């Protein structure tokens, strides 16, 4: 995926007619390209192209006309709305959408970014307490949003058996206290939404992606999940696992669910996207610790929580470390990512967050 922007010039929306060029490859779809000038603060001489399919032919000039005259500062929703309103009633867009056009235009205007616009880092797994792993997610997301750290992929590792619950989940409703005590489970609340993660040492693969929100500018909340995990699907395919997204945030194969994703967007422009995948989960212990009710299973096509999860160890026969290494290799190759490490300052900040927030009863029980 590429995003080709002009050489930065004056900050004014009117840049003296410099030709703008943006590209966006729709996940699972087609390439959309936008070329235009900016004059007087608005888009002029607009030309949309790509390898998409569009009927009738008259729809393309209608899109170009809809974009012409739009303010260069238009939000993605406004651009997509203008395109949708201009399309003939019988128009058929295949491989792209009005939202995809908006992303392309925003990239051309340098309001949105592509993967190649950033220098990516990878932090390999190192054993840390679960509270520290959760706190680091907040710290590193803030650091990326503030521009003090490159966008980064970090793999977790831990020793203590844990449950990490979503930001809005109820402790009382999600956990069986008898099971938690019997199995010595450490319970932690994270900053992102989504469901509970049952995590024993070596039984999961968990990673966090810290990125600027410009990378998903104009991409819907739902579509951003698959967009940010396209590299993961490629990595799984490389080891013989054909995976796909089950909306909103489950990752599955034909054999069953293998993982789930969650996100959090911060006010400073940083974004957290993280995923936990089951490697060799103890399903019997999981259902003793988590309360997984019939309502949650009702739209999953199964009556048993155990049957929902199909670990990667069984599907691949590979060691957990081999799968993680393959994932790191694919990410590094796709995005020219380079190795990085946690800094002393970041680790110290995470410890302070545990003391002030993530390790406190007030945070854990903020939703009783």
């Amino acid at each position: 995926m590429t995003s080709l922007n002009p050489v930065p010039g004056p900050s004014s929306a009117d840049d003296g007619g410099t030709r703008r060029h943006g590209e966006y490859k729709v996940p699972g779809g087609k390439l959309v390209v936008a070329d235009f000038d900016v004059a007087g603060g608005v888009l002029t001489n607009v030309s949309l192209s790509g390898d998409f399919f569009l009927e009738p032919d008259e729809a393309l000039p209608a899109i170009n006309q809809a974009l012409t005259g739009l303010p260069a500062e238009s939000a993605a929703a406004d651009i997509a709305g203008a395109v949708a309103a201009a399309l003939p009633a019988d128009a058929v867009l295949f491989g792209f959408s009005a939202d995809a056009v908006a992303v392309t235009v925003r990239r051309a205007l340098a309001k949105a970014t592509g993967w190649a616009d950033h220098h990516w880092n990878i932090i390999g797994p190192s054993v840390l307490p679960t509270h520290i792993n959760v706190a680091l997610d907040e710290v590193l997301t803030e650091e990326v949003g503030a521009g003090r750290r490159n966008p980064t992929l970090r793999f977790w590792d831990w020793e203590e058996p844990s449950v990490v619950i979503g930001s809005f989940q109820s402790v009382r409703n999600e956990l069986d206290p008898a099971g938690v005590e019997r199995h010595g489970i450490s319970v932690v609340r994270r900053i992102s939404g989504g469901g509970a993660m049952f995590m024993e040492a070596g039984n999961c693969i968990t990673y966090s992606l810290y990125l600027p929100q410009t990378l998903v500018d104009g991409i819907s909340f739902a579509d951003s999940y698959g967009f940010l995990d396209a590299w993961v699907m490629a990595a799984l395919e490389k080891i013989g696992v054909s995976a796909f997204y089950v909306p909103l945030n489950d990752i599955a194969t034909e054999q069953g669910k293998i993982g789930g994703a969650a996100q959090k967007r911060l006010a400073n422009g940083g974004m957290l996207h993280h995923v936990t995948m089951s490697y060799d989960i103890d399903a019997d212990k999981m259902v003793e610790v988590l309360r997984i009710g019939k309502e949650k299973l009702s739209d999953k096509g199964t009556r048993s929580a155990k049957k929902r999860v199909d670990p990667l160890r069984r599907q691949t026969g590979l060691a957990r470390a081999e799968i993680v290494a393959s994932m790191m290799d694919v990410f590094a190759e796709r995005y020219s990512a380079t190795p990085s490490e946690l800094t002393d300052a970041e680790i110290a900040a995470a410890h302070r967050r545990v003391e002030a927030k993530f390790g406190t009863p007030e945070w854990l029980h903020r939703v009783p």
Side-chain angles (χ1 to χ4, degrees):
M1 183 177 301
T2 58
S3 177
L4 306 176
N5 297 315
V7 176
S11 58
S12 168
D14 186 345
D15 64 0
T18 300
R19 193 70 172 163
R20 303 299 183 98
H21 177 85
E23 300 182 5
Y24 174 53
K25 172 64 169 62
V26 179
K30 299 297 183 179
L31 179 69
V32 184
V33 181
D35 293 284
F36 55 84
D37 296 320
V38 176
V42 301
L43 278 57
T44 64
N45 301 321
V46 179
S47 176
L48 192 77
S49 61
D51 60 358
F52 50 78
F53 298 91
L54 177 63
E55 295 290 346
D57 284 351
E58 293 75 23
L60 184 58
I63 294 175
N64 290 336
Q65 184 60 40
L67 295 173
T68 299
L70 282 181
E73 299 299 323
S74 295
D78 294 331
I79 298 171
V83 170
L87 288 170
D90 59 346
V92 177
L93 287 67
F94 185 77
F96 80 120
S97 63
D99 288 334
V101 174
V103 173
T104 311
V105 170
R106 295 273 293 178
R107 285 191 174 184
L109 290 164
K111 306 295 185 182
T113 58
W115 292 89
D117 294 319
H118 303 284
H119 179 182
W120 292 88
N121 288 148
I122 301 177
I123 299 176
S126 59
V127 175
L128 294 167
T130 304
H131 282 87
I132 295 296
N133 274 312
V134 171
L136 278 169
D137 272 1
E138 184 173 72
V139 170
L140 297 182
T141 304
E142 290 178 358
E143 291 296 288
V144 170
R148 292 186 293 265
R149 167 176 274 282
N150 290 331
T152 299
L153 169 68
R154 179 177 74 92
F155 284 86
W156 294 28
D157 217 340
W158 62 96
E159 289 182 343
E160 73 274 29
S162 305
V163 169
V164 181
I165 62 174
S167 180
F168 309 108
Q169 288 189 295
S170 161
V171 175
R172 183 187 303 118
N173 292 340
E174 296 299 326
L175 298 165
D176 184 321
V180 169
E181 183 177 0
R182 181 166 58 253
H183 295 295
I185 304 297
S186 175
V187 181
V188 188
R189 186 184 294 277
R190 62 181 186 267
I191 62 172
S192 62
M197 300 153 49
F198 174 68
M199 303 164 56
E200 290 186 289
N203 80 348
C204 294
I205 296 172
T206 298
Y207 64 83
S208 296
L209 195 61
Y210 315 105
L211 60 138
Q213 293 174 36
T214 55
L215 186 64
V216 294
D217 182 278
I219 300 173
S220 72
F221 186 85
D223 290 344
S224 69
Y225 280 88
F227 172 75
L228 293 174
D229 280 333
W231 65 275
V232 181
M233 303 306 167
L236 292 172
E237 188 73 33
K238 188 176 179 181
I239 59 174
V241 177
S242 180
F244 50 88
Y245 253 93
V246 178
L248 171 70
N249 61 334
D250 283 355
I251 300 174
T253 69
E254 293 297 338
Q255 287 72 45
K257 177 180 176 179
I258 59 173
Q263 295 181 352
K264 178 66 175 180
R265 304 182 190 211
L266 301 186
N268 77 343
M271 178 175 173
L272 166 67
H273 173 92
H274 52 186
V275 168
T276 291
M277 292 187 287
S278 300
Y279 173 69
D280 192 21
I281 197 165
D282 185 334
D284 290 321
K285 188 181 294 185
M286 178 184 71
V287 296
E288 291 179 13
V289 172
L290 300 181
R291 300 184 190 274
I292 305 176
K294 294 180 181 178
E295 181 64 23
K296 186 167 184 177
L297 299 174
S298 63
D299 67 342
K300 306 296 183 181
T302 181
R303 299 172 64 90
S304 168
K306 296 180 185 179
K307 293 179 181 178
R308 284 192 63 205
V309 181
D310 197 73
L312 286 170
R313 180 177 182 178
R314 191 188 71 78
Q315 292 196 35
T316 66
L318 297 175
R320 176 174 175 265
E322 290 181 86
I323 298 175
V324 171
S326 177
M327 293 172 69
M328 293 174 65
D329 288 345
V330 168
F331 189 88
E333 182 179 350
R334 275 200 167 202
Y335 307 128
S336 301
T338 57
S340 180
E341 296 181 353
L342 293 167
T343 67
D344 291 341
E346 289 166 344
I347 294 173
H351 278 279
R352 291 193 296 271
R353 297 291 173 93
V354 171
E355 293 177 4
K357 180 177 180 178
F358 295 102
T360 66
E362 292 79 13
W363 171 254
L364 178 60
H365 296 281
R366 76 185 192 102
V367 181

